[in-house]
Amino acid sequence: MAKIYTRGGDKGQTGLPGERRVSKTDQLFEVLGFLDQTNAQIGLAISLARQEKDENPVPTLERVQRMLLTIGSALASEAGFQETILQKLTTEVTWMEGVIDKLDEELPLLRNFILVGGTPAGATLHLVRTSVRQTERQFHRLGGKQKPAEAAQYLNRLSDFFFQIARYYNFKHNRKEAIWKP
């Protein structure tokens, strides 16, 4: 049985595909770490939705989890982003925009900032949105070819997507949004 630990990173370097060793302080690992954090938070939202007896968002959230893993593996790969992955991201952006628009038709018109919260799953979905924004900021610190426009567009749309998903989840669970008043 293979061990989970390799000891290869004990001196501050991590292995990537292609037998490359890269410093753990490299900006790429900041992005990969935030992708991982976002993915874990989505997993928490799925778990909470299931506790709330709501399987409806699970396939959608798992679809996003798969794409985040795809983005991370492509960023870490020696070859970088491949054409099929870039095309997939473009397709996923179009899908997310369709979901956002569909949910927008059912949601109450938003004219103010809201205080995030709602059900445990709904609040966690808002937390995911903030994690996506952190990931996006870290992504934009990458240099040149490491930062394809399609991935930037996907991450930008993803935060809008989670804002709507969180609002919709709370709406479907009869949790009224608290309007922010200064």
Side-chain angles (χ1 to χ4, degrees), residues 38-87:
T38 300
N39 218 329
Q41 289 174 352
I42 295 169
L44 176 60
I46 289 170
S47 178
L48 291 169
R50 285 182 168 146
Q51 279 185 348
E52 295 167 6
K53 309 286 190 251
D54 189 351
E55 289 286 329
N56 288 324
V58 173
T60 298
L61 297 175
E62 287 178 344
R63 180 174 177 164
V64 173
Q65 283 185 305
R66 284 186 199 88
M67 283 310 301
L68 293 177
L69 286 169
T70 299
I71 290 169
S73 66
L75 282 172
S77 72
E78 199 165 23
F81 274 74
Q82 299 165 345
E83 192 63 32
T84 55
I85 293 171
L86 293 175
Q87 290 172 352

Side-chain angles (χ1 to χ4, degrees), residues 10-135:
D10 291 352
K11 294 182 180 169
Q13 298 246 318
T14 295
L16 290 175
E19 299 185 28
R20 295 175 295 146
R21 302 290 300 167
V22 178
S23 171
K24 290 184 177 196
T25 61
D26 190 282
Q27 182 59 33
L28 173 61
F29 289 109
E30 290 296 319
V31 176
L32 295 176
F34 277 106
L35 286 169
D36 188 34
Q37 175 180 295
T38 300
N39 218 329
Q41 289 174 352
I42 295 169
L44 176 60
I46 289 170
S47 178
L48 291 169
R50 285 182 168 146
Q51 279 185 348
E52 295 167 6
K53 309 286 190 251
D54 189 351
E55 289 286 329
N56 288 324
V58 173
T60 298
L61 297 175
E62 287 178 344
R63 180 174 177 164
V64 173
Q65 283 185 305
R66 284 186 199 88
M67 283 310 301
L68 293 177
L69 286 169
T70 299
I71 290 169
S73 66
L75 282 172
S77 72
E78 199 165 23
F81 274 74
Q82 299 165 345
E83 192 63 32
T84 55
I85 293 171
L86 293 175
Q87 290 172 352
K88 179 79 171 159
L89 288 175
T90 301
T91 300
E92 290 299 296
V93 167
T94 301
W95 169 75
M96 282 191 291
E97 289 173 346
V99 171
I100 291 167
D101 292 345
K102 183 176 181 267
L103 298 180
D104 206 34
E105 291 172 6
E106 292 187 49
L107 286 167
L109 183 62
L110 190 60
R111 294 190 175 146
N112 303 87
F113 287 110
I114 59 171
L115 304 178
V116 298
T119 71
T124 302
L125 290 165
H126 276 295
L127 182 62
V128 171
R129 175 187 53 81
T130 67
S131 185
V132 170
R133 285 289 188 212
Q134 290 176 314
T135 304

